[in-house]
Amino acid sequence: MDALVVLIPLLPFIAAVLIGVGQIAQLLSGEAGESTTAIIATWAISMSCLLALALLGADLLGKNTGALNIGQWLDSDTLHISVNFITTGFSVVLATLFSLLLVIIMHFSVNYMHREAGFHRFFFILSLFASGMLLLVLSGNAVGTFFGWEIAGLCSYLLIAYAYNRPIAAINATRVFVTNRIGDAGFILGTGLSYAWADSILWNDLNAALAQLSTSEATGIALCFTVAAFAKSAQLPFTPWLARALEGPTPSSAVFYGAVMVHAGVYLVCLLKPVFEQAPFAMVVLAIAGCATAIYSFIVGLTQTDVKSSLIFSTSGQLGLMFMECGLGFWELVSWHLCSHAVVRGYLFLTAPSLMHNVQDNPVRLVTPAIAKLRWAYVASVQRFWLDQITDWTLVRPIRRLAHDLNYFDDHIIDQVMGAPAPAIHTISSLAQLEEKILGARLDNETDEFAHGSGLAGKLTEWFAALMHWFEARFVLRSIGKDTNRYGRKLGHAANKFEQLILRPRYLVLFVFITLLVVF
């Protein structure tokens, strides 16, 4: 039964390829192709869900060995990266839950996205995301998990910018994408440290190699993966990106930021439970950051004026509680909390469009009068504690100023030292003025002699050199910067056109073949 694990992330990936190729080839386009696209996407994820259920049943019956190794992907010196999967434990449970939620959201999206201009693009991205998330939770090594991690992040960016013709959507998508790259850096550094200190990037081997790791080494690895988890699950100081991610359609908000992707950080911490248990400082960081995020999200969520923003801060608050539970060592509670929250939050996001209709006769007061009277707290909540402005002030603006300074340094120092030319227009103008002055001085001096020679051969050479000098002075130098030699300019333009023509790839290839024929 272990072999079933390969098909679980593979089937949605095949569906994404089919939809993508069909759209490129114009086989799937417009309203006529919607049913075909929907069938491919829903059947693929449904089959993945059934296979995940079968794998989970086999695990509960004790039929799985715990891991499946497909083969070697990279073998370099002591670095061995294999294609392997986890077939037991919490990973299989989470893969089953996520695939089931993806089936529900996929079916919901068929009617919700009907007649949308980006219908096929949406299901292509959603199928690719499903493959990436299932690979993330089932991969048995850090490299495979990172591949799934990156695929999910890319799909998130593409769906935030779903309405890419709206500037705010493109800006928010870029901001979210850049923020998550900080977490990727932590993930890569943690993987590198795991290989350097534990001599393995397999999750099972890393957790089993704790005996040879000191507390400081375990803390270093744990903190790197903590940064990755905080960025992916929107914990402080990365929380603001989650509110920016609501530009996409409601189904994408449900699957990315409600039910599935935001839990990836919590899952990563649970996967490395033995490492974190040997790193007390990292556990303290988890608890403090989780608690601070929960408090921040609760306060900010009280003053949100739209449903999705209120839900998103509720989501980050619950994720903060999960990280706090990890920091306190309540690992079993975290597992139940994650699974139950994924189900509830997915349902709330999917029903968000009809929420106002459902509660119109039962108004709910979110802010108590005692809190409403605290004006400073209200302003801070409305401004979301100025985290975006602080980020701009501490990171974005300094980086922009640094880029401006480096550009100035390059233009005014490096170019001067290396002798690089100024912009072409200024160079040509200066050269024309210089040569014009030289030419004027030469023409004013009637006694200027270009060359001297003796004998018949010398005189012929002198005469020919004087003729060439006269031609250069009258027809070449005087034509720079002036319109005095119309024919010379036409000849120059013709030469430029000929040069551009022979530099085209097809002519260059022809010349190469001719050269090879001559040589051989």
Side-chain angles (χ1 to χ4, degrees):
M1 297 297 288
D2 291 322
L4 295 178
V5 71
V6 179
L7 296 175
I8 295 174
L10 182 61
L11 289 177
F13 180 77
I14 294 174
V17 171
L18 292 175
I19 295 171
V21 171
Q23 193 170 11
I24 292 173
Q26 296 297 315
L27 299 176
L28 298 174
S29 60
E31 188 177 349
E34 286 186 3
S35 59
T36 304
T37 298
I39 289 172
I40 293 173
T42 54
W43 271 96
I45 192 61
S46 299
M47 291 302 298
S48 290
C49 181
L50 292 176
L51 292 173
L53 287 169
L55 186 67
L56 178 61
D59 182 39
L60 294 176
L61 295 174
K63 302 294 184 181
N64 296 343
T65 59
L68 177 68
N69 193 348
I70 304 299
Q72 202 75 9
W73 179 64
L74 179 64
D75 191 355
S76 176
D77 195 20
T78 59
L79 176 61
H80 309 287
I81 303 177
S82 58
V83 181
N84 60 338
F85 296 91
I86 301 172
T87 60
T88 188
F90 186 56
S91 297
V92 177
V93 174
L94 211 56
T96 305
L97 176 63
F98 284 172
S99 61
L100 181 60
L101 292 172
L102 285 164
V103 169
I104 296 172
I105 294 171
M106 197 79 76
H107 281 278
F108 175 86
S109 303
V110 172
N111 291 328
Y112 189 90
M113 301 299 296
H114 178 52
R115 293 181 177 175
E116 285 281 346
F119 182 93
H120 307 283
R121 174 163 51 95
F122 176 86
F123 279 93
F124 163 76
I125 298 172
L126 197 57
S127 297
L128 186 62
F129 168 77
S131 175
M133 278 304 304
L134 293 173
L135 176 64
L136 189 156
V137 298
L138 291 173
S139 179
N141 60 72
V143 173
T145 301
F146 185 71
F147 276 137
W149 192 276
E150 287 301 294
I151 291 172
L154 175 63
C155 294
S156 171
Y157 169 78
L158 294 175
L159 282 183
I160 295 171
Y162 177 79
Y164 54 84
N165 56 327
R166 297 176 58 242
I168 188 64
I171 291 172
N172 286 344
T174 304
R175 188 73 173 249
V176 171
F177 187 78
V178 172
T179 302
N180 276 274
R181 299 295 70 77
I182 300 174
D184 295 347
F187 198 113
I188 293 172
L189 184 58
T191 303
L193 293 179
S194 299
Y195 172 68
W197 292 336
D199 201 28
S200 177
I201 57 173
L202 300 177
W203 296 128
N204 290 335
D205 291 350
L206 178 60
N207 290 328
L210 292 177
Q212 68 186 52
L213 292 178
S214 64
T215 301
S216 59
E217 291 174 341
T219 301
I221 295 173
L223 287 177
C224 290
F225 285 115
T226 296
V227 173
F230 282 178
K232 200 65 152 183
S233 294
Q235 299 300 288
L236 289 175
F238 306 106
T239 308
W241 77 257
L242 197 57
R244 290 177 174 270
L246 297 177
E247 289 294 332
T250 294
S252 67
S253 299
V255 72
F256 283 96
Y257 319 114
V260 180
M261 194 188 77
V262 290
H263 298 99
V266 181
Y267 166 74
L268 181 63
V269 174
C270 293
L271 189 63
L272 295 171
K273 167 188 169 184
V275 177
F276 278 91
E277 287 180 336
Q278 193 169 328
F281 179 74
M283 297 280 281
V284 172
V285 172
L286 289 176
I288 293 175
C291 181
T293 304
I295 296 172
Y296 166 83
S297 301
F298 170 74
I299 296 174
V300 175
L302 292 177
T303 56
Q304 299 307 303
T305 56
D306 62 280
V307 175
K308 291 178 73 173
S309 294
S310 180
L311 287 174
I312 211 68
F313 281 103
S314 177
T315 299
S316 61
Q318 291 295 322
L319 291 169
L321 292 176
M322 293 181 207
F323 278 103
M324 186 176 69
E325 292 160 3
C326 290
L328 296 176
F330 300 138
W331 300 103
E332 191 70 23
L333 177 61
V334 173
S335 302
W336 285 100
H337 193 174
L338 191 158
C339 295
S340 58
H341 179 260
V343 174
V344 173
R345 196 62 61 190
Y347 169 78
L348 290 175
F349 268 99
L350 292 178
T351 56
S354 59
L355 183 62
M356 297 303 296
H357 173 74
N358 295 334
V359 301
Q360 62 180 350
D361 297 328
N362 300 292
V364 179
R365 175 180 291 177
L366 296 178
V367 183
T368 61
I371 296 178
K373 291 179 180 179
L374 298 175
R375 184 176 180 82
W376 64 268
Y378 178 79
V379 173
S381 177
V382 170
Q383 296 295 330
R384 299 177 182 179
F385 285 86
W386 299 277
L387 281 186
D388 271 335
Q389 291 85 340
I390 292 174
T391 303
D392 288 338
W393 182 65
T394 57
L395 291 177
V396 178
R397 291 181 183 177
I399 291 174
R400 284 180 176 175
R401 286 196 293 267
L402 177 62
H404 179 270
D405 293 341
L406 291 176
N407 184 57
Y408 180 87
F409 180 79
D410 183 60
D411 290 342
H412 294 80
I413 298 178
I414 300 297
D415 285 352
Q416 299 296 328
V417 173
M418 300 299 294
I425 185 66
H426 300 296
T427 304
I428 294 173
S429 176
S430 301
L431 179 62
Q433 293 173 5
L434 176 61
E435 292 182 334
E436 222 177 308
K437 291 179 181 178
I438 296 174
L439 179 61
R442 286 182 176 179
L443 292 178
D444 291 338
N445 188 1
E446 297 294 335
T447 62
D448 181 33
E449 296 180 353
F450 184 73
H452 296 278
S454 60
L456 180 60
K459 291 298 180 181
L460 288 175
T461 304
E462 180 182 344
W463 175 80
F464 182 75
L467 179 63
M468 292 295 101
H469 175 61
W470 176 84
F471 176 80
E472 179 187 15
R474 300 290 178 177
F475 292 95
V476 177
L477 296 179
R478 281 197 171 185
S479 66
I480 298 178
K482 294 184 177 182
D483 195 16
T484 59
N485 197 331
R486 190 174 47 185
Y487 300 105
R489 289 183 178 278
K490 288 184 178 180
L491 182 62
H493 288 311
N496 288 334
K497 289 182 180 179
F498 177 75
E499 182 183 13
Q500 293 174 359
L501 182 66
I502 64 174
L503 288 178
R504 291 182 179 177
R506 55 179 177 269
Y507 295 111
L508 289 176
V509 173
L510 179 62
F511 292 151
V512 170
F513 277 115
I514 293 174
T515 304
L516 292 176
L517 288 174
V518 172
V519 172
F520 297 103

